[in-house]
Amino acid sequence: MTALPYPALHASHGGVWIAMPDGETRAVGRGEAIRVAADTPVILLNAPLVGQRLGHPEINGLDLLELFAFLRPAQFMVPTPKGLARVAGIEPPASDAEVAPFLRDAAEALLRLTDGDWPEREGAWHAAQSLGRLRWPWAMAVSQRLTTPERAERWLFSRLPEWSEQPPRPAPRSVTLHDEDVAARLAQLTGQGAEQRQGQRDYANAAARAFAPREMRDSPNLVLAEAGTGIGKTLGYLAPASLWAAEADGAVWVSTFTKALQRQLAHETERLFPDPATRKARVVTRKGRENYLCLLNLEDALQGGFAGRAAILAQLVARWAAYSADGDMIGGDLPGWLPVLFRRNGSTALTDRRGECVYAGCPHYRKCFIERAARASVDADIVIANHALVMVNAARGRETAARPSRYVFDEGHHLFDAADAMFSAALTGQEAIELRRWITGPESGSRGRRRGLAARLSDVASYDSEGGEAIAAAVVAAQALPSDQWLQRLAEGQPFGPVESLLAAVRGLVYARDEGSADAGYGLETELAEPDGALVEAAGPAGVALDALVRPLVTLGRRLEAVLTEGPDWMDGPARARIEGAIASLGWRAETVGAWAALIARIGGPADPEFVDWLAVDRVEGREYDVGLHRHWLDPAKPFAETVLKPAHGAVITSATLTAGGDWNVAEARSGASHLMRPPGRFEAPSPFDYAAQSQVLIVTDVKRGDLPALANAYARLIVAAEGGTLGLFTAIRRLRAVHARIADRLAREGLPLLAQHVDPIDTGTLVDIFRDDPRTSLIGTDALRDGVDVPGHSLRLAVMEGVPWPKPTVLHAARRLAGGGTAYDDRIVRARLAQAFGRLIRRADDRGTFVLLSAAMPSRLLSAFPDATPIARVTLDEAVERVRLSLATRLRQEAPESTDVTADPGK
């Protein structure tokens, strides 16, 4: 094969280079680089990132990430030159100036993957032809390497395996776990010769109490277990969980908050079931429907539903779907960077984000990834889920026949926030218009496969006259909900219909009560107290409209249940499954409308002490995107306890920061334990790390709050002193962006790459992967990076927070603060956030690091957030920089005699 006749382009904060096909490589200006890219196809790595650094977001070309996604579907690559070199099997470039010619070499190396025994060959020729018709830049180069198959390749939808129905699983047997058996299972998981840690053994025995037979109805065996980083709590709870699952023949649901921990848990279960086939049957990862590829959406996209670049994404996702383990597009084996490459190209939604699933009415129902995962979880030993899914299933009565009796809630300090989101209600324009579209289906000018109630349940309407009348009544009643352009009409003072009129009154009252933040561009909110006449007047008709909507939804649900009971001749298995799905969807939406009606009834009436109600105008950088009324539980742990904990037989709630500084009453209150009749068991194991020797906390006293140039200078100097390896945490996106703009080029000149959440067009998971892969790279971001980031080793040696992470003074926070003890409530939140941030720094026994807080106003009473014996000093920025430099030099001297690749502790 001849060499690719295309130049390669590389842009970083340190400069721009072009490598020509004749071998010449030269540095160029941004203008020339944009001109070359416009005149001829160029090879590049991550086009959106290159475009951002050139100041020309629309740049495109032969993106090596797209080529890798085609050649190695369902495989991950760190999207950097180093990561590319690893998968291509060639040497990485030594400097930025060498990257451009390296990209040409890497392209040739990737294309050579098609030679010989290529595991992903099936389907490639057909996909290449389709991509060629879409003018994919790589189509010609790929097609030249592929030979026409001797027989026609099977279409994706015929290659995917079908799931099969299984008989219901019997209820788990009542068994008692003995300490010696739990210890033996833990030893099996940690492996031969592993260090026997007493803290981990004690933790496993404490967790085992949750698997004892339940003694009283609505009183689960609940264990609250705080285990510091390094105890090995993952294997500590998997030992009794897997032992109980085997002996009782039941499923244990292990619930997490972050997708990163779900991935980590799935990896740890390799110790339980080394054989991949056995592990696939015994361990299942579950997420919400919106995470999985919808095959019907994909089929529509492949057949013309997407246009331009979005259609290319559909073809690459189809390649991935044929090799994916579970069809999980968000945090699964689809590289997180792939959809981001196409995000600026219009709608690329391929998951069921709007609750439009037609269940058995879908031609791909028997191959559906979501249905397969749901059925596999029934017979699994370990189901790795997340807090939101557990609560959704419990609250909406889904999968009641297979409802778990045993749970482990890892990252248990997030249960309060997850319950807060799950059990809240919001009557907003965005929520209401989604409900209207779900009921009515396509309206004027809309595209896609959206189908309304009448289309989804046409056979029921023809069979059951009362059901048909209810469908028609629901469609008519839905006309009272907001429709397209509702936000524009509100801004112009021209609302249409009773619900839009209510939202207009909400918007008017919020702006009327604003105290000056309207000009700042932030979202606005005000308490739902002392409403004005316009809001009270609008509430009546809106309440009537919602009542007219909920009645036919409830009636239709009852008629569908009756149809199931009667079992007409036309109802086969798929039809029954579709109607059962419709009943569940109707129940959920009827409950939603009922919650809206209750919220409207509150207007002008007495407040309910169990709820916090407020009005809000949501904005981003001054642009309004939603308006509405909100209701949250004052204590969301109460509905969590009622719907999840009480029906369970046992649960472990665990975290490294469960008590928020040692207060077990707080742990019981925020976990729902205080709402149970039986008190929980408590277990506490401090981290085994030597924090006095491994870490230090520096509180910088001379960086003035609000001084952006000084803040940026502090970050730059600290990162240079640490030679990268820095995690920077911000409490506001605006300040993060301002600091990044000031220091990125400065750090690049030092050979220190800087990544930024909310700036770089890269998903958060991939940003962390890049950060972990390069010890000289630094990463700055917001809350998502404060908790759930696991970067052990030298790649993370400095953590910097811009200030004390005080909670935002919202209406909801003010109400909870009043009920929770005022300043003490704020202090608990701050301690927990500081502990979570500090916990990113020391992840294993050989880690060393410094935690810097850029705030002279740090109260001494909050220092208990850090582990005992951690050295804490208030210093100037100059002294902090010097201490960081000395810490790095000390570590390098300690590692100099022998450089080894230290693996993580067992059970990490």
Side-chain angles (χ1 to χ4, degrees), residues 792-851:
H794 192 54
S795 289
L796 175 50
R797 49 193 177 271
L798 173 65
V800 183
M801 290 193 81
E802 63 158 326
V804 180
W806 296 110
K808 187 178 179 182
T810 63
V811 170
L812 179 61
H813 171 72
R816 289 178 177 161
R817 184 180 189 272
L818 182 63
T823 301
Y825 180 79
D826 284 345
D827 288 355
R828 288 195 296 268
I829 292 176
V830 174
R831 284 194 193 96
R833 291 176 177 177
L834 288 171
Q836 290 154 17
F838 180 85
R840 304 307 100 209
L841 194 61
I842 307 298
R843 308 297 293 172
R844 63 189 191 188
D846 61 334
D847 281 349
R848 300 288 186 276
T850 301
F851 185 89

Side-chain angles (χ1 to χ4, degrees), residues 618-631:
D618 296 321
R619 306 190 303 175
V620 100
E621 296 181 350
R623 182 180 62 84
E624 293 181 22
Y625 65 89
D626 208 358
V627 178
L629 304 90
H630 298 261
R631 163 168 282 188

Side-chain angles (χ1 to χ4, degrees), residues 330-410:
I330 316 294
D333 53 17
L334 180 76
W337 43 255
L338 181 59
V340 179
L341 300 179
F342 300 85
R343 190 165 287 169
R344 67 179 186 272
N345 302 106
S347 175
T348 55
L350 290 169
T351 60
D352 179 22
R353 295 183 178 275
R354 295 167 175 163
E356 296 176 331
C357 181
V358 294
Y359 297 92
C362 174
H364 310 300
Y365 181 66
R366 304 291 299 189
K367 299 181 178 184
C368 175
F369 289 114
I370 305 167
E371 297 296 329
R372 186 188 307 162
R375 281 157 179 78
S377 65
V378 173
D379 292 321
D381 287 356
I382 304 293
V383 179
I384 302 171
N386 55 59
H387 299 343
L389 178 64
V390 167
M391 295 181 198
V392 166
N393 283 349
R396 296 177 185 168
R398 299 296 301 274
E399 304 176 19
T400 53
R403 175 167 290 180
S405 65
R406 298 299 194 286
Y407 293 101
V408 176
F409 292 100
D410 204 340

